[in-house]
């Protein structure tokens, strides 16, 4: 399943995932955003892997936000943008 | 920004406040940050795209640990390629079959941002390598504006109505010119910028996937309307523009002619072979 969200004036975030027993699996997050340091992406993906697929956008965003380490920078997208892409993948995502 | 230099090691006289706070001191601060170094120039040498990518890491680390003076390097291209951003997925950005048919190499760079379609004479790319103290106290967006300011001034001297558009674009009244991206590691900051000189739109759109969502806030229908290549805007040869950029930097901040050292080139080749050419790196996001 595949979902995208472009932050207005910002960057694109793409989420690919499977839904297995109402859990997010095989989560991939990609896009033309900027993250500092680099391994923040692993943290974001880790925070989504296995997550309850029935959570709403706000809850997903909060989950990502809380996972970010102190000093991490997410530029061009946001926990909110990532959460929108996750919900889009779950609701509209074919493939 | 946990790896930032502590306050005590900052150059004297440079305020650790937002660059937007103090318009009075802004210009002086900005120029002082640039002028505290003996800048070195590495002119363009045509190199394999993989070596270009690896050199960015080699030289960022070298400057970060003080083994090389802060440096401005122009890129030379010996082959067409697509340069993916650090966090982009290959299949979402590139039509790999088309790229193979066109003989276009695919590489992933160490900085975030978007995919670039590069033909050797079609783009102007440079990298700036500096100790990360140069942006001490700045937010990331402020640091992008800081690194791009000189090139925007240089473009204005060529008659281009250019400006910095957050977060990382160089825009103009004639269309988007280019974009920048930063990576930080080992005490060094890399800020590299690619500007379109001449676009091969049909070839680019065969190779890059440009989806509807990506264009959703652009208010335009096609990719070609978004760009204003420098040849179209200046009618100048590519070499003339590069010469002017170098001249502007030299007059403003000082610049000593330099070459890539043998040990630096060997390090880049090693990194290319051991890491940047591997599927683990290129297909890190498949």
């Amino acid at each position: 399943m595949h979902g995208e969200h472009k932050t207005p004036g910002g960057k694109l975030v793409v989420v690919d995932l499977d839904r297995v027993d109402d859990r997010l699996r095989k989560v991939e997050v990609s896009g033309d955003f900027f993250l500092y340091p680099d391994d923040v992406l692993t943290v974001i993906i880790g925070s989504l892997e296995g997550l309850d697929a029935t959570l709403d956008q706000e809850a997903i965003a909060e989950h990502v936000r809380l996972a970010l380490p102190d000093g991490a920078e997410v530029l061009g997208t946001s926990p909110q943008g990532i959460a929108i892409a996750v919900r889009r993948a779950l609701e509209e995502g074919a493939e | 920004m946990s790896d930032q230099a502590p306050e005590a090691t900052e150059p004297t006289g440079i305020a650790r406040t937002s660059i937007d706070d103090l318009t009075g001191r802004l210009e002086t601060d900005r120029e002082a940050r640039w002028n505290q170094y003996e800048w070195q120039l590495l002119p363009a040498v045509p190199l394999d795209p993989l070596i270009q990518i690896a050199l960015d890491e080699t030289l960022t680390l070298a400057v970060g640990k003080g083994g090389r003076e802060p440096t401005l390097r122009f890129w030379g291209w010996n082959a067409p390629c697509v340069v993916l951003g650090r966090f982009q997925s290959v299949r979402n950005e590139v039509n790999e079959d088309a790229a193979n048919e066109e003989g276009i190499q695919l590489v992933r760079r160490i900085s975030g941002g978007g995919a670039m379609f590069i033909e050797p004479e079609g783009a102007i790319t440079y990298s700036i390598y500096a100790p990360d103290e140069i942006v001490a106290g700045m937010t990331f967006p402020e640091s992008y504006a800081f690194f791009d300011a000189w090139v925007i001034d240089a473009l204005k001297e060529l008659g281009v109505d250019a400006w910095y558009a957050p977060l990382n674009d160089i825009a103009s009244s004639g269309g988007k010119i280019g974009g920048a991206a930063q990576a930080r590691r080992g005490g060094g900051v890399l800020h590299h910028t690619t500007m379109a000189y001449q676009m091969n739109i049909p070839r680019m759109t065969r190779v890059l996937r440009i989806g509807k969502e990506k264009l959703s806030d652009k208010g335009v229908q096609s990719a070609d309307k978004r760009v204003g290549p420098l040849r179209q805007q200046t009618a100048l040869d590519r070499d003339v523009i590069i010469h002017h950029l170098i001249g502007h930097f030299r007059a403003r901040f000082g610049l000593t002619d330099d070459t890539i050292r043998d040990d630096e080139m060997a390090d880049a080749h090693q990194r290319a072979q051991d890491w940047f050419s591997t599927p683990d790196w290129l297909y890190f996001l498949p």
Side-chain angles (χ1 to χ4, degrees), chain B residues 32-136:
Chain B
R33 284 174 188 256
W34 285 101
N35 279 314
Q36 63 184 313
Y37 302 114
E38 301 287 331
W39 289 94
Q40 306 293 303
L41 172 68
L42 298 175
V45 183
L47 293 168
D48 185 273
L50 266 178
I51 303 300
Q52 299 282 7
I53 299 301
L55 263 176
D56 263 356
E57 186 164 80
T58 296
L59 298 174
T60 303
L61 291 170
V63 170
K65 72 172 184 231
R68 150 175 284 285
E69 295 294 321
T71 297
L72 169 67
R73 177 174 76 95
F74 279 82
W75 294 38
W77 304 96
N78 69 1
C81 61
V82 169
V83 183
L84 284 176
R86 174 75 173 86
F87 305 111
Q88 291 187 298
S89 132
V90 175
R91 67 169 179 274
N92 281 323
E93 298 301 324
V94 183
N95 181 337
E96 274 197 275
D97 290 342
N100 288 335
E101 282 164 23
E102 301 265 350
I104 291 169
Q105 195 183 342
L106 190 54
V107 296
R108 185 187 295 277
R109 65 175 184 268
I110 65 171
S111 63
M116 308 186 303
F117 172 73
I118 302 282
E119 291 182 303
E121 296 300 310
I124 296 173
T125 300
Y126 62 82
S127 293
I128 296 171
Y129 313 94
D132 57 13
E133 67 183 15
I134 196 174
V135 291

Side-chain angles (χ1 to χ4, degrees), chain A residues 25-86:
Chain A
R25 299 293 179 199
K26 292 188 185 170
V27 179
E28 286 177 12
V29 178
S30 66
D32 58 348
F33 46 77
F34 295 87
L35 301 174
Y36 301 95
D38 285 3
D39 57 11
V40 170
L41 188 68
T42 313
V43 174
I44 291 170
I45 291 171
S47 74
L48 294 171
E49 189 68 36
L51 199 64
D52 182 347
T54 63
L55 289 179
D56 67 11
Q57 183 191 306
E58 274 308 322
I60 297 169
E62 187 60 15
H63 198 78
V64 173
R65 198 174 291 121
L66 289 172
L68 293 175
D70 281 353
E73 293 274 347
V74 179
L75 301 178
T77 186
S78 60
Q80 195 71 33
I82 295 165
I84 293 170
V86 169

Side-chain angles (χ1 to χ4, degrees), chain A residues 6 9 11 28 31 36 38 71, chain B residues 87 144 168 182 185 213 217:
Chain A
K6 186 176 186 306
K11 304 298 178 188
E28 286 177 12
Y36 301 95
D38 285 3
Chain B
F87 305 111
Y144 276 85
N168 64 324
Q182 278 182 25
R185 54 190 67 197
E213 182 67 13
D217 69 337

